[in-house]
Amino acid sequence: MSLPFPITARHKGFNRAEIVDQNFSEFVKLWEGEVRSAPRDDGPVLPGSALDAQGFRELLESQLISRHLDLMARVLRVQNKVFYTIGSSGHEGNAMVARLTRHTDPAFLHYRSGGFMAERFRKLPGMDPVMDSALSFAASKEDPASGGRHKVWGSKPLWVLPQTSTIASHLPKALGTAIAIDHARRIGHALPVPEDSIVVCSFGDASSNHATAQTAFNAAGWTAYQKLPAPVLFVCEDNGIGISVKTPAGWVANNFRHRADLDYFFADGLDLAEGYAQVQRAVEHCRHTRRPTFLHLKTTRVMGHAGTDFEIEWRSIEELCAVEASDPLLRSAAIALESGLYTRDQLLGLYEATRKRCFAAAEEADRRPKLERLEDVMAPLAPYTPDKVKAEAERADYADARVKAFGGEDKLPERQPPRHLAIQIGQALHDVMAKYPESLLFGEDVAQKGGVYTVTKGLYKTFKGARVFNTLLDETIILGLAQGYANMGMLPIPEIQYLAYFHNAGDQIRGEAASLQFFSNDQYRNPLVMRIASLGYQRGFGGHFHNDNSITALRDIPGLVVGCPSRGDDAATMLRTLTALAKVDGRVCAFLEPIALYMTKDLYEPGDGQWQFAYPPPGEAMPLGEGRVYGEDANDLVVFTFGNGVPMALRAARTIQAELGWRVRVVDLRWLVPLNDAFIARQARSARRILVLDEGRKSAGVGEGVITAIVEAGLGATPLERVVGADTFTPLAGAAFLVLPGEADVVAAARRLAG
């Protein structure tokens, strides 16, 4: 497409947004092409086009709304009325994807999705894309997407799950949602969307190179290779550049055109008349075949990455002019005029009316309330309704399902002898899955094998492969699947095989699952219970990948709940509460299972069986934050600990009492995030001496949180010692025990307190 006027170097130094804005008006005023007879509303906008005239009008309006929101943001940002300037200019062709999909097709969108959103708003009556977007740009408390917490493209009624400046991290959960749509039928779960829905997931050409994107593409192909449905439409909006790094010409097509089991389609997103049929083919293919589909949508990027990106400083004026000449709104203007649907004056009138509408909405949004109190900001982050959670955790109205799951009344776990941790976790998982037919347990080796430590043994046989299944070896995808199942109303229980493996995929929890409630103002939730074999002290097997004592990465995630039982009965009651937290309050939870205690049966002497406990029957649950206290009345020394530290402290207490004559109280925290500061202070208040036993590393461990709670309660004068692991990776074999605290270290710390 050639312009009816030249863009030359005389524009150098001008505000590029102003230039792009002027280009449209000048293009329309100077256009001298042939004008056809205006088509009927249901006729093709141009001969041979699959897009009808009415569809073109609406798509054009959506494009103009997106463009003027961008222009408005550039102007009002300097007035401190708008707080986000990453725009959609050049990507307005994604409105075609919105038009050709349904509002019940869940969408995970790239940040350049103004056109898509404006068009999807048409799907439901009474919705206003301009005002809703303006409220988000202004960070208004009345923003219907995030409540003013971020500028996001999102809408609960339109099934657009909000994303914040995503760089590929949303692809795994988009794939997970697509898999969940068809998986629901296999477990008899009623979906919140139609059964033939697809998932839309858009991203940039630069993001397609990210490891998280590549793992999603690989998993999509892996799924399709096995003939399993995965109806996700990956929309790669290729503008040829990532901030300032250019994508090599032809790279996206070359990289994705011939991938097995990832079906490739190209569409010209710069030309509505040409690109519409191309997008349509991709959408229909994805919906009908239920296969992962890659739509390579040609776009461009005008006005820079964001308002602070002064491209003229690093990009030649000739290159900028060429990019601006490819502006899709100029092509849409040409179609509007050539088709006879608009005269020059009508088109310019629509353009200016849209500008006026966007600026008026922005000024109004600026007058709306903002978030001004911390409690309002944090309100959706970690909802907790204790009474409802307690009632759900203790609910025991599934007796028949329990009997079936365990194979008879006489095999119910509460009728069996006391058992150790691994057995009781497995029993508790049987219980949970009997209680919640929508629950799914999955991960590496969890099905037929029953897990590396046989913790999930028997679950596959009881609940079959649709509810207990193995995944590919990819923690990012495991957690992406979990989010997808949660999006579709199921209760996922993903397993991460070792705590060290979580770090490979931590952003799926930190940046995605745990942030969704916050950034959607609690309209969307990712309820899940993540099981992780954790901590140190394994004998005969280890190294830092299998003896990982780093809980810091979990403690730093806002809104996450982390529980760590040290004994089997606690594991069962804790799991009931964790699943209730997920079901009732939509919480994202981590259940840390101490590997070294899985098979531990004895406490003091071989054969004493004192670390085996009776299984708690349904109706019993552990309140969030409630610890367990051994030796309630002992005040000479109070030991705060968790996990492996609990039996270690109990054994050390015997030595301390024999040597120093002290009565020792051992406090098992059980809940590591959030720490129950009030409980810690209450236990510390009556202590003559305090010892904090934390098997994690010295820096940033749980022990630091315990000490902070004690000091902030005004108890800092109480003599205190800390016994912790060293700031090092864990070595192999016996050397591992040199870097972890042991019973002798606990006794030595008590001696120091005595001195």
Side-chain angles (χ1 to χ4, degrees):
M1 178 185 67
S2 61
L3 299 179
F5 60 92
I7 297 180
T8 67
R10 67 181 175 83
H11 293 88
K12 186 172 183 178
F14 280 57
N15 181 311
R16 303 316 298 179
E18 291 181 6
I19 295 298
V20 169
D21 189 18
Q22 292 169 12
N23 284 348
F24 185 89
S25 297
E26 292 185 37
F27 180 92
V28 174
K29 290 174 183 176
L30 299 175
W31 189 82
E32 295 180 348
E34 177 185 354
V35 178
R36 302 174 184 271
S37 298
R40 298 183 314 178
D41 282 353
D42 60 352
V45 63
L46 290 179
S49 176
L51 177 62
D52 61 34
Q54 180 61 29
F56 172 78
R57 284 196 190 95
E58 294 181 353
L59 284 170
L60 174 62
E61 289 172 6
S62 295
Q63 288 186 311
L64 293 178
I65 287 171
S66 177
R67 175 60 54 86
H68 279 297
L69 286 172
D70 283 359
L71 293 170
M72 172 275 294
R74 299 295 177 105
V75 173
L76 297 187
R77 176 65 194 97
V78 297
Q79 300 177 31
N80 214 35
K81 294 180 178 181
V82 161
F83 303 94
Y84 193 85
T85 57
I86 295 180
S88 305
S89 295
H91 286 246
E92 292 89 354
N94 57 35
M96 292 186 287
V97 181
R99 186 169 189 85
L100 287 161
T101 55
R102 307 169 184 163
H103 81 275
T104 49
D105 290 331
F108 302 82
L109 299 179
H110 186 229
Y111 43 61
R112 303 196 193 281
S113 296
F116 182 102
M117 286 301 298
E119 185 64 25
R120 181 164 275 206
F121 267 89
R122 298 181 188 281
K123 302 288 185 177
L124 291 177
M127 300 194 73
D128 184 354
V130 174
M131 192 63 209
D132 280 12
S133 299
L135 288 166
S136 191
F137 275 104
S140 169
K141 186 178 180 180
E142 296 180 2
D143 165 26
S146 76
R149 288 167 187 82
H150 204 284
K151 163 63 191 74
V152 296
W153 296 119
S155 171
K156 178 67 173 178
L158 295 175
W159 271 99
V160 179
L161 290 80
Q163 315 299 306
T164 63
S165 297
T166 42
I167 306 298
S169 59
H170 58 312
L171 272 70
K173 66 180 182 181
L175 173 62
T177 304
I179 292 172
I181 288 172
D182 282 80
H183 197 148
R185 175 179 44 80
R186 300 200 294 277
I187 68 169
H189 173 70
L191 284 167
V193 297
E195 290 188 356
D196 65 343
S197 296
I198 66 173
V199 172
V200 180
C201 178
S202 62
F203 49 93
D205 49 295
S207 293
S208 73
N209 300 302
H210 198 283
T212 310
Q214 292 295 322
T215 200
F217 301 140
N218 178 71
W222 188 85
T223 304
Y225 180 77
Q226 298 177 89
K227 312 301 181 186
L228 297 172
V232 58
L233 181 68
F234 290 121
V235 183
C236 180
E237 299 184 13
D238 184 1
N239 62 23
I241 197 166
I243 303 184
S244 68
V245 179
K246 295 179 182 178
T247 298
W251 168 247
V252 173
N254 188 66
N255 195 11
F256 290 96
R257 185 185 290 132
H258 302 298
R259 287 203 184 193
D261 296 305
L262 183 59
D263 302 339
Y264 175 91
F265 290 80
F266 173 82
D268 187 350
L270 303 177
D271 187 330
L272 297 181
E274 178 69 20
Y276 193 78
Q278 298 166 332
V279 173
Q280 187 174 44
R281 282 193 290 273
V283 171
E284 291 178 353
H285 173 85
C286 185
R287 195 177 305 280
H288 295 145
T289 66
R290 319 303 289 165
R291 284 174 57 84
T293 303
F294 189 95
L295 173 58
H296 181 192
L297 187 68
K298 181 182 179 181
T299 63
T300 190
R301 191 188 77 193
V302 296
M303 302 189 337
H305 174 72
T308 55
D309 179 18
F310 301 107
E311 290 181 294
I312 195 66
E313 296 179 354
W314 56 270
R315 211 170 184 181
S316 73
I317 187 64
E318 291 77 18
E319 185 180 355
L320 279 175
C321 292
V323 168
E324 290 161 1
S326 68
D327 185 344
L329 260 64
L330 302 184
R331 174 57 185 153
S332 292
I335 296 170
L337 296 170
E338 180 184 345
S339 66
L341 290 174
Y342 293 85
T343 65
R344 292 185 184 88
D345 288 344
Q346 288 172 334
L347 187 55
L348 289 173
L350 176 62
Y351 188 75
E352 293 305 323
T354 307
R355 183 200 307 276
K356 184 177 180 180
R357 181 183 173 192
C358 290
F359 270 85
E363 294 289 353
E364 174 60 27
D366 180 55
R367 294 189 287 270
R368 300 288 182 89
K370 303 292 195 295
L371 290 168
E372 295 179 344
R373 301 188 309 162
L374 176 61
E375 51 266 42
D376 292 337
V377 172
M378 295 184 64
L381 174 64
Y384 179 41
T385 51
D387 292 343
K388 292 181 180 179
V389 170
K390 181 177 187 294
E392 178 61 24
E394 295 177 353
R395 180 171 64 84
D397 57 355
Y398 58 105
D400 291 345
R402 287 192 81 228
V403 170
K404 182 179 179 181
F406 287 106
E409 289 272 0
D410 59 328
K411 294 184 179 179
L412 292 174
E414 61 268 29
R415 299 189 179 185
Q416 309 307 312
R419 306 302 294 270
H420 52 279
L421 179 65
I423 292 292
Q424 292 197 328
I425 291 175
Q427 292 170 333
L429 289 170
H430 276 80
D431 241 339
V432 164
M433 296 194 72
K435 184 175 183 177
Y436 298 109
E438 71 276 21
S439 61
L440 304 168
L441 188 144
F442 51 92
E444 300 160 18
D445 304 305
V446 300
Q448 295 92 329
K449 180 177 174 62
V452 173
Y453 298 97
T454 70
V455 174
T456 57
K457 183 179 180 180
L459 286 163
Y460 177 80
K461 181 178 179 181
T462 300
F463 297 103
K464 313 307 178 191
R467 292 187 61 198
V468 180
F469 53 92
N470 294 325
T471 65
L472 71 172
L473 199 157
D474 187 334
E475 287 75 25
T476 297
I477 287 300
I478 292 171
L479 296 179
L481 281 172
Q483 293 173 82
Y485 288 122
N487 288 333
M488 291 296 101
M490 292 173 247
L491 177 60
I493 308 174
E495 179 184 290
I496 301 298
Q497 201 164 83
Y498 290 99
L499 180 57
Y501 298 174
F502 167 78
H503 306 310
N504 301 333
D507 191 52
Q508 287 300 302
I509 297 297
R510 180 205 167 278
E512 296 295 338
S515 72
L516 183 60
Q517 278 180 280
F518 182 76
F519 286 119
S520 71
N521 202 14
D522 201 22
Q523 296 177 89
Y524 282 107
R525 297 175 164 189
N526 272 142
L528 61 91
V529 179
M530 173 177 59
R531 296 177 46 246
I532 311 178
S534 306
L535 309 179
Y537 299 99
Q538 282 197 87
R539 293 186 179 275
F541 180 59
H544 73 285
F545 273 117
H546 305 104
N547 277 300
D548 188 353
N549 56 357
S550 175
I551 301 169
T552 303
L554 294 167
R555 292 186 66 224
D556 185 51
I557 299 175
L560 183 67
V561 175
V562 181
C564 181
S566 63
R567 44 190 271 183
D569 55 345
D570 282 357
T573 56
M574 182 179 281
L575 264 174
R576 291 169 188 166
T577 297
L578 289 169
T579 51
L581 282 163
K583 289 294 295 182
V584 173
D585 291 324
R587 299 296 291 274
V588 179
C589 306
F591 183 64
L592 306 186
E593 302 171 8
I595 299 169
L597 296 180
Y598 271 151
M599 307 303 174
T600 299
K601 301 176 182 178
D602 307 321
L603 178 58
Y604 298 112
E605 306 292 340
D608 68 16
Q610 291 194 44
W611 211 243
Q612 298 186 105
F613 301 92
Y615 186 83
E620 296 182 20
M622 181 196 304
L624 177 63
E626 182 180 271
R628 181 184 286 278
V629 180
Y630 300 83
E632 185 76 51
D633 299 327
N635 297 327
D636 295 320
L637 176 65
V638 174
V639 181
F640 291 93
T641 190
F642 63 92
N644 294 296
V646 178
M648 181 189 300
L650 290 170
R651 288 190 292 269
R654 277 194 165 190
T655 303
I656 293 168
Q657 183 167 359
E659 182 177 319
L660 301 175
W662 292 351
R663 297 177 64 232
V664 180
R665 186 191 323 163
V666 175
V667 178
D668 182 357
L669 298 167
R670 300 197 293 195
W671 300 96
L672 307 184
V673 181
L675 281 174
N676 188 338
D677 291 354
F679 168 72
I680 292 168
R682 192 163 57 248
Q683 293 298 320
R685 191 162 284 117
S686 59
R688 295 189 178 94
R689 305 164 191 85
I690 296 171
L691 193 151
V692 177
L693 171 57
D694 176 2
E695 71 169 89
R697 295 195 263 280
K698 179 181 179 181
S699 299
V702 173
E704 291 185 356
V706 174
I707 293 172
T708 300
I710 292 169
V711 172
E712 289 183 345
L715 303 171
T718 306
L720 183 147
E721 282 277 341
R722 182 161 62 123
V723 178
V724 296
D727 279 341
T728 181
F729 296 104
T730 306
L732 193 61
F737 294 88
L738 300 176
V739 307
L740 296 170
E743 291 173 41
D745 300 306
V746 177
V747 174
R751 291 183 187 129
R752 290 194 296 273
L753 285 168

